[in-house]
Amino acid sequence: MDKKITDSIIYIGVDDKDIDLFESQYVVPNGVSYNSYVIMDDKIAIMDTADARVTDKWFANLREALGDRKPDYLVVSHLEPDHASNIQKVAEAYPDMQIVGNAKTFNMMGQFFDIDLTDRKVVVAEGDKLSLGKHELTFVMAPMVHWPEVMMEYESTDKVLFSADGFGKFGALDTDEDWTCEARRYYFNIVGKYGAQVQAVLKKAAGLDIEKICPLHGPILTENLGFYIDKYNTWSSYQPEDEGILVACASIHGNTKKAAELLAEKLKATGVKVAFTDLCRDDMAEAVEDAFRYDRLVLCACTYDGGIFPPMEDFLHHLKAKAYQNRKLAFMENGSWAPTAARQMKAIVEGFKNIECVEPVVTIKSTLNEASEKQMDELVAALTK
């Protein structure tokens, strides 16, 4: 990518294509980018640092951008280590540079670094401004998107929003892939719990004249910004993005999966869009993503040790943690002598907000038979009417 985002804003981030798991849990087959920026003006501001995995490359990019100049400010949008690991090193490299953050930023900073910021702190609050010369930053507090100290910055000359983790996605910047899929997986698994807080920030952003969005992960967004903002509005309000059904299956020996695949085929035959996930084998983060994407969800699981087969139980707890709501749910259970999975799955989802449970429950005893397939046909009709 072109390192010059505008005449004055330079990209100094680094792609990480060797990482196996982002945040030690999310598969990132195309890596991830740690974005960082420099605003060159009468005074120079560095906009966040980068992960310790790319320290040397990040410093090389910073020095190339600075030339023979020194930075005046380091703006800390977010203290999570994938963005903030080099705060102490860059502060020591440029002892006259001031550190810009909000009160919560500095309350937490000592937990990560042994650094004396006496006379170096610039504490900002909602609406405060920092002039760099021709460029001026306005600070937009974004608490719990997705840490309490998060803030965004709006630069009014080039009309750029530095959006912290907002509008980010998995994937290195040289990856040629659709933004929506990996941005959705990123959003729901990392930010998804905090929809109300994202809605609050979107209301603030609506009053800004934004031409570019510079997130801390993923590509700089420069065109069709309404598309990205609309996606975030849908996701953060917990509304389904598409009409369709996710069939999520957790099967021990394959009989439940065979029945779930038949259910998916019967649903597809009605013309409805259907996605299928094997919770024992497929990426959990993608399963969560699809659950939020579609307006209906069928949970298919075995009874196990008198409870729910663990991959399904894990999936339901992921949904609970991310505030899953506003959907229709249906159930298919299997048990050779005492099927209880549906009852126990219902007990979990009844704690979700605005969930409609669709009847009938399909109950299988070991393998699908005529009676349980009749229940399945009734469920198909109920889900697609």
Side-chain angles (χ1 to χ4, degrees):
M1 62 167 279
D2 185 356
K3 291 187 176 182
K4 295 201 76 173
I5 296 167
T6 70
D7 288 342
S8 303
I9 300 175
I10 302 171
Y11 179 84
I12 59 168
V14 183
D15 277 347
D16 183 355
K17 304 187 77 171
D18 298 322
I19 188 171
D20 57 345
L21 295 173
F22 182 75
E23 292 190 350
S24 296
Q25 59 179 319
Y26 301 115
V27 176
V28 282
N30 292 318
V32 68
S33 66
Y34 309 114
N35 296 348
S36 175
Y37 311 89
V38 171
I39 304 175
M40 304 294 291
D41 204 331
D42 296 340
K43 293 189 174 181
I44 297 174
I46 304 170
M47 309 300 288
D48 296 287
T49 68
D51 193 276
R53 293 172 55 87
V54 297
T55 293
D56 291 345
K57 179 61 176 172
W58 179 77
F59 263 103
N61 290 349
L62 172 62
R63 293 185 179 111
E64 180 182 352
L66 292 175
D68 59 0
R69 298 185 64 186
K70 294 182 179 180
D72 298 275
Y73 301 106
L74 169 65
V75 177
V76 181
S77 306
H78 185 19
L79 268 175
E80 200 167 5
D82 53 327
H83 310 298
S85 288
N86 290 289
I87 288 176
Q88 182 161 343
K89 288 183 177 180
V90 75
E92 290 171 349
Y94 301 104
D96 294 328
M97 179 184 69
Q98 294 183 294
I99 316 298
V100 181
N102 57 67
K104 291 178 181 177
T105 309
F106 292 112
N107 285 342
M108 294 172 63
M109 194 170 289
Q111 298 169 194
F112 291 96
F113 306 107
D114 180 17
I115 180 172
D116 182 7
L117 294 180
T118 305
D119 300 324
R120 296 184 68 178
K121 291 191 295 186
V122 178
V123 183
V124 297
E126 182 72 44
D128 284 355
K129 298 181 186 299
L130 178 67
S131 176
L132 304 176
K134 294 179 180 179
H135 297 77
E136 183 177 70
L137 294 172
T138 301
F139 296 93
V140 179
M141 298 300 117
M144 298 317 301
V145 184
H146 56 118
W147 277 25
E149 88 304 348
V150 174
M151 64 183 187
M152 302 179 181
E153 300 82 34
Y154 175 66
E155 198 292 298
S156 53
T157 298
D158 289 327
K159 301 179 180 179
V160 173
L161 179 67
F162 295 94
S163 60
D165 272 343
F167 300 98
K169 68 176 283 293
F170 297 127
L173 293 194
D174 65 358
T175 299
D176 182 15
E177 64 184 1
D178 176 65
W179 179 88
T180 306
C181 182
E182 286 294 69
R184 184 192 300 112
R185 186 165 73 101
Y186 175 93
Y187 174 85
F188 281 114
N189 287 280
I190 293 177
V191 188
K193 180 178 180 179
Y194 305 106
Q197 290 85 352
V198 174
Q199 284 280 301
V201 173
L202 288 176
K203 287 181 173 64
K204 295 179 187 179
L208 302 173
D209 182 9
I210 302 170
E211 293 186 358
K212 292 180 173 62
I213 297 176
C214 290
L216 288 178
H217 295 294
I220 289 81
L221 306 178
T222 59
E223 298 177 351
N224 302 319
L225 297 188
F227 170 83
Y228 305 107
I229 292 169
D230 183 63
K231 288 294 185 188
Y232 256 62
N233 186 49
T234 298
W235 297 342
S236 62
S237 58
Y238 300 102
Q239 297 305 312
E241 186 178 348
D242 293 319
E243 291 185 358
I245 302 173
L246 171 65
V247 177
C249 169
S251 180
I252 302 171
H253 296 295
N255 289 316
T256 304
K257 183 175 181 179
K258 185 176 179 180
E261 289 173 334
L262 178 61
L263 173 64
E265 290 304 315
K266 288 175 179 285
L267 289 167
K268 287 178 184 176
T270 70
V272 70
K273 187 173 184 179
V274 178
F276 185 92
T277 184
D278 179 346
L279 295 171
C280 303
R281 293 166 177 82
D282 295 338
D283 177 36
M284 179 61 71
E286 286 195 10
V288 170
E289 171 199 345
D290 278 342
F292 277 97
R293 179 176 182 177
Y294 298 111
D295 62 342
R296 285 155 286 176
L297 170 64
V298 185
L299 302 169
C300 310
C302 309
T303 302
Y304 187 84
D305 286 343
I308 307 167
F309 190 39
M312 175 61 75
E313 190 170 28
D314 186 32
F315 177 57
L316 291 174
H317 285 303
H318 273 79
L319 295 185
K320 181 179 179 180
K322 302 305 177 183
Y324 188 75
Q325 57 189 271
N326 300 328
R327 303 296 194 279
K328 290 182 178 181
L329 267 64
F331 307 87
M332 183 165 72
E333 63 179 353
N334 194 352
S336 291
W337 58 92
T340 62
R343 173 173 54 81
Q344 296 187 65
M345 288 188 289
K346 277 188 175 181
I348 294 173
V349 305
E350 282 170 356
F352 297 176
K353 184 178 178 182
N354 195 23
I355 291 295
E356 178 184 342
C357 293
V358 179
E359 299 291 341
V361 171
V362 179
T363 297
I364 301 168
K365 290 192 172 181
S366 302
T367 59
L368 194 68
N369 60 20
E370 185 177 341
S372 50
E373 187 169 349
K374 183 174 182 294
Q375 288 181 327
M376 184 185 292
D377 290 336
E378 292 171 357
L379 180 58
V380 169
L383 282 168
T384 59
K385 67 180 181 182

